Amino acid sequence: MHEYSIAYDIYTTARRAAIENDAKEVKCVSVDVGKLAMVNPEQVEFLFNVIIEDDPLFSGAQLSCREAEARTRCSCGYEGDERFVCPRCGKLPEIVAGMEIVVTNIEIEVDEE
């Protein structure tokens, strides 16, 4: 169940950023999940909610997962989304995006001074 470690990493990343910015509350954590990441975003969201349950900094936080498209590149110059066979030359293209899981935004509430 690698979804738990992914959810935990998202939590620690958001928590660290919130503390570094003197947040009083984390509102939303946005994450891009590549189509080829072999991760179930619904499970990550469920586990994230379990992890944040006892952390008052995350009392109303939401996790927003967005699916990121796969992108490939071939030595012949092709760039696109074909993962198995280059439509130009028939070679196996290199995957350049779509396997990553990236925290893209952390929405926090801070005290006005």
Side-chain angles (χ1 to χ4, degrees), residues 35-36 68-74 77-88 91-98:
K35 279 188 171 182
L36 305 176
E69 294 296 324
R71 287 194 338 255
T72 59
R73 179 182 311 135
C74 185
Y78 168 80
E79 289 191 24
D81 61 359
E82 180 55 54
R83 301 183 315 235
F84 303 110
V85 177
C86 174
R88 285 191 189 162
K91 292 182 186 174
L92 180 65
E94 170 191 9
I95 297 171
V96 295

Side-chain angles (χ1 to χ4, degrees), residues 47-63:
L47 293 166
F48 178 82
N49 289 329
V50 170
I51 292 167
I52 68 170
E53 206 168 72
D54 294 328
D55 190 334
L57 188 60
F58 286 80
S59 63
Q62 292 183 311
L63 181 64

Side-chain angles (χ1 to χ4, degrees), residues 2-82:
H2 64 285
E3 277 87 355
Y4 181 85
S5 62
I6 291 166
Y8 187 78
D9 286 346
I10 293 168
Y11 163 72
T12 58
T13 299
R15 190 171 207 297
R16 185 176 344 106
I19 290 170
E20 288 173 1
N21 290 284
D22 299 319
K24 68 176 190 175
E25 183 180 4
V26 175
K27 297 281 195 180
C28 184
V29 180
S30 300
V31 179
D32 283 355
V33 179
K35 279 188 171 182
L36 305 176
M38 304 300 289
V39 170
N40 182 331
E42 290 84 19
Q43 274 189 326
V44 172
E45 187 174 343
F46 171 79
L47 293 166
F48 178 82
N49 289 329
V50 170
I51 292 167
I52 68 170
E53 206 168 72
D54 294 328
D55 190 334
L57 188 60
F58 286 80
S59 63
Q62 292 183 311
L63 181 64
S64 173
C65 292
R66 184 179 67 147
E67 195 170 62
E69 294 296 324
R71 287 194 338 255
T72 59
R73 179 182 311 135
C74 185
S75 58
C76 74
Y78 168 80
E79 289 191 24
D81 61 359
E82 180 55 54

